Amino acid sequence: MSALPEPPYYAVIFTSQRTPVDQGYGQMADRMVELAAAQPGYLGMESSRGDDGLGITVSYWRSADDIAAWRRHAEHKVARDTGRSDWYQHYTLRVARVERAYGWQRSAGAQDPQA
Amino acid sequence: MSALPEPPYYAVIFTSQRTPVDQGYGQMADRMVELAAAQPGYLGMESSRGDDGLGITVSYWRSADDIAAWRRHAEHKVARDTGRSDWYQHYTLRVARVERAYGWQRSAGAQDPQA
């Protein structure tokens, strides 16, 4: 999981349904993780996909401008275009401003961290 | 995937790592989906969990007050407590205000919906 910087910051929530087409998908996904992590304002990323092909990737960014700059990255654009031609059946993308955040881990004990 | 209401609205991004303990987890998860959908201000929910046990659930709400009310729901509180005692190794929770949102589906053609 991603680190917990102090809010406010931004989240890009990308929810997608995969097609059965796998041609190069894993390689592209790994490359986008690597490339995103090298961009200005990148704070972290979390990703999961279930057996039903529905996946959620949330990336975290310092500002909306950082998100816009990442969107303009040429290699990212090619990946998105291939996503629409080959890999995704449908997707939604939301940009949201994180206002509050907290975490819990087992070693802290079972009490509510926000009680 | 969840519908796309007009922003602004709120997202709760819950990222969690499961323990191997399965006792009642699926039943609780189904019940929480059902119960959340019946709360005032509920707009939708998306959830995925991969084979590595990392899961992301994003629920969408009309306002921060609706999220606070759902948090106070007694049955939801019991589920969270059991999550900490049994089901989760660690988790993070973020509350974010959705500012922009769009979707794409294959039937619309491969062009960039935001170009």
Side-chain angles (χ1 to χ4, degrees):
Chain A
M1 293 202 281
S2 170
L4 274 174
E6 192 65 29
Y9 53 95
Y10 278 80
V12 178
I13 306 166
F14 179 69
T15 303
S16 63
Q17 182 70 48
R18 285 288 316 281
T19 60
V21 178
D22 220 335
Q23 188 75 37
Y25 175 76
Q27 201 177 345
M28 175 284 293
D30 291 348
R31 174 64 180 151
M32 286 305 110
V33 168
E34 174 186 79
L35 201 57
Q39 303 310 305
Y42 172 87
L43 297 176
M45 191 182 297
E46 295 161 347
S47 202
S48 74
R49 188 173 302 278
D51 294 335
D52 58 357
L54 182 73
I56 302 176
T57 296
V58 190
S59 61
Y60 300 103
W61 301 87
R62 182 50 61 200
S63 74
D65 283 351
D66 293 327
I67 293 169
W70 167 230
R71 190 181 151 74
R72 289 190 301 269
H73 192 290
E75 205 174 331
H76 184 202
K77 185 179 180 325
V78 170
R80 293 200 309 272
D81 289 347
T82 314
R84 286 190 303 277
S85 65
D86 293 357
W87 295 316
Y88 298 125
Q89 194 60 42
H90 51 84
Y91 61 72
T92 58
L93 187 145
R94 293 173 171 94
V95 176
R97 184 177 184 272
V98 178
E99 300 186 345
R100 292 193 295 123
Y102 64 91
W104 171 86
Q105 50 189 333
R106 183 150 293 278
S107 60
Q111 70 276 16
D112 185 346
Q114 291 289 288
Chain B
M1 293 203 281
S2 169
L4 274 173
E6 193 65 28
Y9 52 95
Y10 277 79
V12 178
I13 306 166
F14 178 70
T15 304
S16 63
Q17 183 70 49
R18 284 290 315 280
T19 60
V21 179
D22 221 335
Q23 189 73 38
Y25 175 76
Q27 200 176 346
M28 176 283 292
D30 290 348
R31 173 64 179 151
M32 286 305 111
V33 169
E34 175 187 79
L35 201 57
Q39 303 309 305
Y42 173 87
L43 297 176
M45 190 181 298
E46 296 162 347
S47 202
S48 74
R49 189 172 301 277
D51 294 334
D52 58 358
L54 182 73
I56 302 176
T57 296
V58 189
S59 61
Y60 300 102
W61 301 86
R62 181 50 62 199
S63 74
D65 284 350
D66 293 325
I67 294 169
W70 167 229
R71 191 181 149 74
R72 289 190 301 267
H73 192 290
E75 205 174 329
H76 184 201
K77 184 177 180 327
V78 170
R80 292 201 308 274
D81 289 347
T82 313
R84 285 191 303 277
S85 67
D86 293 356
W87 295 316
Y88 297 125
Q89 194 61 42
H90 50 83
Y91 61 72
T92 58
L93 187 144
R94 294 173 171 94
V95 176
R97 183 177 186 272
V98 177
E99 300 186 344
R100 293 193 296 121
Y102 65 90
W104 172 85
Q105 50 189 332
R106 182 151 294 278
S107 60
Q111 70 276 15
D112 186 347
Q114 293 288 289

